[in-house]
Amino acid sequence: MINGEDTASGTALLLAAAPLGKGRLIDATSVLPTLAAVPPSILTRTTAATIVELADPTDPQTVLTRIRAAAATSGPLTLYLTGQLHLDHKQHLIHLALARTTPTTLRYTALPWHWLAGELKLRRPGTTTVVTDLVAAPDAWQQLRTEGLALGHGIRVYGRITPPPPRHRIVEPAYLRALATTWRSGANPPLAELHEQAVAQAGPAEALLLAVDHTAVPVPAAPAVPPPSRPHQGPAPVPTAPAPSAENTGASEEDPLPAILAAAHAGRHSEAASLAAMWEGWALRTYGTGSVQAIHWLEIRADLARLAGDPARSCELWMAAADARLARQQPPDDPAVEGAVDRAHHQWQELRDQDRARELGPSLVSLRRHVPGRRFGAVEAVQRRLELLHMMPRDGAAARHPEADGQRPFPR
């Protein structure tokens, strides 16, 4: 190892894509000449290197084939991705737009992000690095702010996602350009250090930053059941879990939760959400849907959404956690079930978006009828607010009614 370089042969896949015409938000391909001027061994951090470049591809199947071929190589793989992300409103999935992508053809002309994640998760942990410089369309930006952008365990991810630019403006991939400029100057610091330098140079301040280097695959121990909370007492903290155990797998013994919480409390909500989503995905694959491990990470994601200031998403996730526990045949008066429903109720009361409150209200009413909790009048409180919301006009006037605005979550 010399200056962080691997002696094996590595592969770098440079993918730059954005829609042609007025739908373009980023001039993705403009950074390719700068990256092409960087020595290939620097891009792959190996002594021997293969470079594959895809500039404004049009067919998602062709892109998938190239990614699959790169992922099948045994040596280190580095993906450099620049382009724009959109949300498929039917399935609520993130897509990377390609040259022919339009809002109406997104599902057929863009690359689903989970396709990329699916190919990379098959690789040996610690051999894959993804460097991103992406801009998100408005719909995708709202989801990414709370859920992050997950790829999987054992993958290094560095980069940024910027919010949608003002109308009629096309942004530049300044983050990747800053990386390439540093490399062309002859410097080759560790990627984590280079990431910090590029972020400082590129901006903007509201960008979502990705800096995940969890290349080991830890095995979490069974989580402790979080104590219940009640809406009138305020939100509960993120449930905690014992430190993971290695179980003869060579896995890291580091508990990921402190790092996730640190990111959330530092305002790096995208990073925290991405890490939690990765762990939830790992728990689903390892223990199965409905397992206590998967529910544990679902509950952590719910509280991370609260910390990110997204009560609607937090409410949805807490209701999903309650439903999952009930599906495990946990009784309605189980403290963990009651706690999940109480937290969902509290987050719903915090909602100031009247339309979202109307959407989530019926599900919460149904759940509350099954899990009334220990506070008298909880079911009636949800029903009363929901009735008031439906009586109010949809222009925000409901927010002026103190009870419809959630100021009295329960009768005294």
Side-chain angles (χ1 to χ4, degrees):
M1 304 284 286
I2 302 175
N3 295 327
E5 289 190 351
D6 195 321
T7 56
S9 177
T11 301
L13 174 58
L14 282 55
L15 172 55
L20 301 174
K22 63 180 181 179
R24 175 164 290 202
L25 303 177
I26 184 172
D27 187 5
T29 56
S30 66
V31 76
L32 290 179
T34 310
L35 285 172
V38 176
S41 60
I42 299 297
L43 293 176
T44 62
R45 293 185 175 261
T46 58
T47 54
T50 298
I51 307 297
V52 179
E53 182 178 298
L54 292 175
D56 273 337
T58 60
D59 177 35
Q61 291 292 340
T62 300
V63 176
L64 177 63
T65 299
R66 294 294 186 90
I67 293 173
R68 183 170 294 164
T73 60
S74 58
L77 171 64
T78 305
L79 272 71
Y80 296 90
L81 303 179
T82 179
Q84 57 194 66
L85 300 175
H86 292 260
L87 183 67
D88 165 23
H89 290 282
K90 184 173 183 179
Q91 296 180 311
H92 299 284
L93 297 174
I94 294 294
H95 288 62
L96 177 69
L98 302 181
R100 294 180 181 172
T101 299
T102 66
T104 57
T105 64
L106 177 69
R107 297 180 62 202
Y108 312 104
T109 59
L111 179 75
W113 189 260
H114 66 274
W115 284 12
L116 172 64
E119 296 301 323
L120 298 185
K121 76 177 183 180
L122 302 177
R123 290 180 50 80
R124 181 165 54 88
T127 63
T128 308
T129 302
V130 178
V131 182
T132 68
D133 194 348
L134 302 165
V135 59
D139 47 4
W141 176 250
Q142 294 303 319
Q143 178 164 311
L144 291 168
R145 287 180 63 192
T146 55
E147 297 189 15
L149 192 65
L151 279 174
H153 291 295
I155 300 174
R156 299 180 187 89
V157 183
Y158 288 97
R160 67 168 190 170
I161 305 172
T162 59
R167 291 188 64 184
H168 309 301
R169 180 182 170 188
I170 298 177
V171 299
E172 299 289 330
Y175 172 87
L176 270 181
R177 195 182 305 280
L179 262 62
T181 301
T182 299
W183 284 325
R184 292 178 65 185
S185 72
N188 187 18
L191 194 52
E193 179 182 333
L194 186 57
H195 165 76
E196 296 294 336
Q197 296 175 8
V199 165
Q201 295 177 37
E206 65 268 31
L208 301 180
L209 305 180
L210 307 175
V212 180
D213 192 0
H214 285 226
T215 51
V217 186
V219 181
V225 176
S229 67
R230 293 180 182 142
H232 69 287
Q233 296 175 324
V238 175
T240 58
S245 58
E247 296 187 4
N248 299 321
T249 62
S252 168
E253 295 183 1
E254 181 186 359
D255 182 356
L257 195 54
I260 293 173
L261 288 174
H265 287 295
R268 303 194 310 275
H269 298 294
S270 173
E271 178 183 336
S274 293
L275 286 170
M278 290 178 188
W279 274 86
E280 183 186 8
W282 182 89
L284 288 168
R285 293 190 299 271
T286 305
Y287 297 102
T289 303
S291 63
V292 293
Q293 293 84 357
I295 295 172
H296 168 68
W297 287 103
L298 177 61
E299 291 173 338
I300 288 176
R301 288 179 58 215
D303 214 64
L304 289 174
R306 175 187 67 83
L307 292 173
D310 189 348
R313 185 59 176 158
S314 182
C315 175
E316 286 180 316
L317 292 171
W318 277 119
M319 287 196 293
D323 287 335
R325 289 190 176 278
L326 291 170
R328 288 178 53 83
Q329 305 303 313
Q330 291 180 238
D333 60 353
D334 185 300
V337 177
E338 287 185 341
V341 178
D342 285 349
R343 288 163 174 162
H345 189 161
H346 178 80
Q347 290 300 297
W348 185 70
Q349 293 286 173
E350 292 293 303
L351 262 173
R352 297 298 177 262
D353 184 332
Q354 306 302 322
D355 289 336
R356 290 291 285 133
R358 290 185 188 95
E359 292 173 9
L360 296 172
S363 297
L364 183 59
V365 168
S366 177
L367 192 57
R368 261 303 183 205
R369 286 173 178 164
H370 192 55
V371 186
R374 304 187 185 188
R375 180 75 181 224
F376 176 76
V379 178
E380 292 78 7
V382 180
Q383 292 175 320
R384 183 173 62 252
R385 185 189 181 209
L386 187 58
E387 290 170 359
L388 288 169
L389 287 169
H390 283 297
M391 292 171 59
M392 296 291 179
R394 293 180 178 268
D395 60 359
R400 293 192 294 271
H401 192 293
E403 210 164 346
D405 199 32
Q407 296 180 18
R408 291 186 58 199
F410 294 100
R412 298 185 183 279

